[in-house]
Amino acid sequence: GMAKVYEGRRESLAGVAATVAIKIIDPERAQDDRFKKLFIQEAKVSSNLRHQNLVQIQDFDQVNGQFFLVMEYVEGMTLRSAVKRSRKHGIPLPQSLIAEVGRQVCDGLNHAHSARTPEGRPLGLVHRDIKPSNLMINPQGVVKVLDFGVSHASILQERPGAVRGTWGYMA
């Protein structure tokens, strides 16, 4: 990936300190303008999304030229981790669980595709990197779609024919 995600604390008045996820561009790529542009695009696009099945962006800023995204912290495990554990222990994931994960992912992606900018322009957002490691399942069974870093939106300029995503998961 092009970025690293860390657990952090967002401190405010009276000792309130919420747990957050902080995403920064991988230090090896931090000076690459292409990665900076993708990171800024992710922040712009994701900030328009408000849905229970999409990770929420809380802030976007920079310190000493290093951009960072502050996001909702999702406790739980990725679908990739759940599949690995089930295989390790020889216990298949129930079909009902797989169907529910799919339903929630589709709900979130439908919201993303239907979302509009604050000015009312359609985003026409397509995630382009749906894979088990970009799906978190929290302890209550809520699925969160992560990482809109290579998504395509109608409001963004992109080179015609650009292909982004993870090869094994592309349509």
Side-chain angles (χ1 to χ4, degrees), residues 64-97:
N64 299 325
Q66 176 70 57
F67 292 109
F68 64 92
L69 269 171
V70 179
M71 303 177 294
E72 159 190 21
Y73 177 81
V74 182
E75 186 179 345
M77 69 172 55
T78 65
L79 181 58
R80 180 179 183 199
S81 295
V83 169
K84 272 185 167 179
R85 281 187 182 185
S86 72
R87 285 184 179 154
K88 179 180 175 182
H89 298 291
I91 302 169
L93 293 175
Q95 288 182 356
S96 58
L97 172 68

Side-chain angles (χ1 to χ4, degrees), residues 31-99:
Q31 300 309 313
D32 186 324
D33 288 339
R34 191 180 73 154
F35 289 108
K36 285 182 185 179
K37 183 179 176 184
L38 283 172
F39 201 66
I40 291 168
Q41 287 179 351
E42 177 181 7
K44 284 181 180 179
V45 168
S46 298
S47 67
N48 290 287
L49 304 176
R50 295 282 177 262
H51 191 275
Q52 71 174 1
N53 297 118
L54 303 176
V55 71
Q56 302 298 293
I57 302 299
Q58 298 176 356
D59 201 0
F60 178 68
D61 209 339
Q62 67 175 326
V63 172
N64 299 325
Q66 176 70 57
F67 292 109
F68 64 92
L69 269 171
V70 179
M71 303 177 294
E72 159 190 21
Y73 177 81
V74 182
E75 186 179 345
M77 69 172 55
T78 65
L79 181 58
R80 180 179 183 199
S81 295
V83 169
K84 272 185 167 179
R85 281 187 182 185
S86 72
R87 285 184 179 154
K88 179 180 175 182
H89 298 291
I91 302 169
L93 293 175
Q95 288 182 356
S96 58
L97 172 68
I98 295 166

Side-chain angles (χ1 to χ4, degrees), residues 2-168:
M2 70 175 211
K4 303 269 187 215
V5 180
Y6 300 94
E7 182 179 336
R9 298 256 182 243
R10 182 181 204 134
E11 296 185 9
S12 61
L13 297 175
V16 175
T19 302
V20 295
I22 302 169
K23 184 175 183 177
I24 64 168
I25 298 175
D26 188 308
E28 294 176 9
R29 300 177 183 201
Q31 300 309 313
D32 186 324
D33 288 339
R34 191 180 73 154
F35 289 108
K36 285 182 185 179
K37 183 179 176 184
L38 283 172
F39 201 66
I40 291 168
Q41 287 179 351
E42 177 181 7
K44 284 181 180 179
V45 168
S46 298
S47 67
N48 290 287
L49 304 176
R50 295 282 177 262
H51 191 275
Q52 71 174 1
N53 297 118
L54 303 176
V55 71
Q56 302 298 293
I57 302 299
Q58 298 176 356
D59 201 0
F60 178 68
D61 209 339
Q62 67 175 326
V63 172
N64 299 325
Q66 176 70 57
F67 292 109
F68 64 92
L69 269 171
V70 179
M71 303 177 294
E72 159 190 21
Y73 177 81
V74 182
E75 186 179 345
M77 69 172 55
T78 65
L79 181 58
R80 180 179 183 199
S81 295
V83 169
K84 272 185 167 179
R85 281 187 182 185
S86 72
R87 285 184 179 154
K88 179 180 175 182
H89 298 291
I91 302 169
L93 293 175
Q95 288 182 356
S96 58
L97 172 68
I98 295 166
E100 181 59 18
V101 167
R103 184 194 68 74
Q104 290 186 45
V105 169
C106 287
D107 281 352
L109 293 177
N110 180 62
H111 172 80
H113 190 68
S114 304
R116 296 181 171 272
T117 66
E119 298 80 31
R121 292 177 39 209
L123 283 176
L125 187 62
V126 178
H127 188 284
R128 296 200 296 196
D129 203 22
I130 294 297
K131 58 187 178 183
S133 59
N134 280 340
L135 305 173
M136 288 285 297
I137 306 170
N138 77 12
Q140 294 75 36
V142 177
V143 178
K144 297 279 189 172
V145 177
L146 312 173
D147 199 358
F148 280 82
V150 295
S151 63
H152 172 74
S154 59
I155 63 169
L156 301 175
Q157 296 293 324
E158 187 172 277
R159 180 175 47 88
V163 177
R164 300 197 197 294
T166 304
W167 282 105

